Amino acid sequence: MPSELSPHVSDIAPGRGALRPARSWLHSDAPSRSLNGTWRFRLSPTASVTEDFAADAFVDDGWDSIPVPSHWVLEGDGAYGRPIYTNIQFPFPIDPPHVPDENPTGDYRRHFDVPADWSDAERVVLRFDGVESLFRVWVNGVEIGSASGSRLAHEFDVTSAVRTGDNVVAVRVHQWSAASYVEDQDQWWLPGIFRDVTLIARPAGGIEDVWLRTGFDHGRGRVEAEITADAAAFPVTLRIPELGVEHVWATPSDVAPVDVTGVEPWSAERPRLYDATVSTVSESIALRVGFRTVEIRGDRFLVNGSRVVFHGVNRHETHPERGRVFDEEHAREDLARMKRFNVNAIRTSHYPPHPRLLDLADELGFWVVLECDLETHGFEKLDWAGNPSDDPAWRDAFLDRIRRTVERDKNHPSIVIWSLGNESGTGGNLAAMSAWVHARDTGRPVHYEGDYTGEYTDIYSRMYASVPETEQIGADGARSALLNCTPAQSARQRTKPFLLCEYAHAMGNGPGAFDQYEALVRQYPRLHGGFVWEWRDHGILATAPDGTPYYAYGGDFGEVVHDGNFVMDGMLLSNDVPTPSLHEYKAVVQPVEFVLDGGKVAVTNLRHSADTSDLRFRWRVEHDGLPVASGDLEIPVVAAGESQRASLPPIAIAPDAETWLTIDATLAAPTPWAPEGHVIATAQLDCSARRPVPAVRPQAEWRPGDGTLSLGIAEFAGGSLVRLAGRAVTGPRLELFRAPTDNDESPSDGIEESDNSIAGVSSADLWRRDGLDRLTTRRVSVEHTPDALRTLDKVSAADSALSVMVESVWSLVDGELELRVEIEPSRGWQTVWPRIGVRFELPDGAAPVDGAQWFGLGPLETYPDSLRAARTGRFSATVHDLSVDYARPQETGHRSELRRLTLTSGSTEVLRIEALPDTRGRRPGFTLSRHTPQQIARAAHPFELGDSTTSHLIVDAAQHGLGSRTCGPDVWPEFALRPESRTIRLRISAG
């Protein structure tokens, strides 16, 4: 089958044969036919198959069937291979441009019909919107051409090969090719024809391409049309009916800008679109036009003259069953969910998405950084030796990728920045890409994070800069050298807008410190926000040996090399469930700020351009979490960037309960992404009368004893608790360990880390080194009085001289059982601790503890550096719902600032616990789980935890923060838990 059109898999040319120039993805009334559906399919283990399968007469009856679009490794339950996950690693030897002979190759065939009335078409075009990685195309046995660029669109002219009636298209797809070296994105390798295949009849006198560039200035709009069509196609008519525009250009030379008055601008907050058509006699193109002007003025990034703050996410196209196959209904809901969580921007990491996604972004309203399909990250381990980014032989391939990116999507008002790609080092080919974009589109700036010195990009961009470093970038007076920059280069970069293209790595339980970054964006106008890594987990739905479904990650498919669960790093779980971090993000970036001061509230509108006329403000007062009053708050309309003050209603302060005022900003009417009443911002004010904490009643006349006695509802044997309120309960046992989060398991980089970290070593390794996961107890003493019991324990680990002394005092205070635990570490501890708490075991017996009701912070889990989404109130949840099903089991479920807790079994109250603050006013938190931290830490997937016959209650005096160390800064020192003495006081009663 070889011919002059046939590429070798090591061919770095972007395409061969009848491959047509890149153009826009347009909504045209020209005839077209989708070739999506069932194709015949055969997989071969190598690329050296020579059989002439494309021939007209070839019989494919013995082949399998496969849906198109799809990824073959996600079809056939493993019959066609399995997915591979790598972040930076190449899953084949680094030998550019060569790939191994063991190269899975998929052959596809299908019949299609060409209508008789297509004989009038000027040409027939076959379009592929996404194929991974290198593919070759035949029609009716005639080789048409080849292309690479997996997430890019390719069109082939098949006019000379098609015929009226039945036709056969054959496609050969190689999983690995030279293109794989420049598609090393952090994601699954998923080969196949995974986007649409379309046959298009291009009419004589049609429009080859259209670009309606728009601008906006104080109510006036401008349309600059670029029409690609033969002179014979003219006249061409532009219509925008809502604006009264009907402009006819008789010849190509007549095409000129059209000024329009009475225009409403497009923004991510108010995505005003106007239906437009560009028509000839034989073809009409439908577009949706949004008027906006993008500019950089000094170190400010502006749209329509106003500074933009990107509250963004990095978004891959991923689904647990379909992979990167696009589903519009799912995508629309995904974007609507982003809007509901105050996300206003998307970076299309690290490739152009399905083109319909950008239509949705225009419609729903997002600032989009559109990124090219380019990443060569695996060359970093070679110190970038051999990196294609600086090899002239690859220049055509690089330029082809950026052309196809820009040309396909240039009509979208949501796209405000072009990005050259991601983590590809630097070099002349990237500079050439930037020069091409600057020449092609003067209306949008160019971004690329790897251009640290700012040689060829318009925006200073970084990943995972720490809070102090970000402040040094934003502060006008800062003179520190920036990463990989000389002083002069640093000064130049500080003259540009700054963007965190990735920050706050949302892997597992975390990240912390959203609010610290947001505070800097508010303080320093040069800082324009950023994009959290990332929006959703990439889990692939799989089945455990016992039939339990779970979400698989790297290594679960037997990969030779992989990067584990690093692909599970989103604020949305693989099954579309928002994590607590997404709620935290929503609260931190909420577009309305409330400052409550006495009887007044100051309301600040932090939006880009929208006022608050679409919002309603509601208030409510609660006493100990119970509502006592509510109403609407009358606040004048607040313009974008402005503030208004209003009076608060009179608040009844309860003398014997906590009094909390809550204010919500809600949608006054439904939108395409949320119903009326959806809360976009909230604030709470503690109006409580101050009450003293009950003092510890001193005990006297302690006497040694065997510790077997009863104190109210508590029964003890040998000084140890055995029953509470008639049910088996043991504890309190000192617990210093938590099932390490992904951040805990990540090695320190030795830069700006928490106390006593060690470069290259994780916090979890230090905890295991010190034996925090395997503590043992030695009872030192047992004493009692007629109404109290005191035990003293020394807690330590094997092969360690470090210890913690734990004094537990049980007493009856006015007939109520109180427990006070004093925790005091020895000297010599050299690392932060994950927690300081005590654990109780509650075996199931006849009535398992399966839920909790509490008054404290909620409703979701909270940690010291992730508290902004929490509010003080009354909440309830089942034991399962108290935890988050992270793809790799880890610490989860902690609720802070506990006042009262009721453990339940079904609808029955089992035990009631009141948590008293310590002498510094600090309140404990709690975790209720069906597994111990040690059991959770041993599991790689949720299904490995198995069944449990015990509930475990941990009351924590303190927890270590979360940080973002998997890819970014460690826990901020303020939220790091140092070994220290702490007190826990609880009052316990029967349910």
Side-chain angles (χ1 to χ4, degrees), residues 182 187 383 675 693 821 823:
V182 295
Q187 61 182 354
D383 197 24
V693 177
V821 182
I823 300 166

Side-chain angles (χ1 to χ4, degrees), residues 128-130 149-154 195 352 373 400-401 404-405:
F128 294 84
D129 281 307
S150 297
R151 270 67 68 176
L152 304 169
H154 298 89
R195 286 187 185 156
D373 187 9
D400 181 75
R401 286 173 180 262
R404 293 188 181 279
T405 297

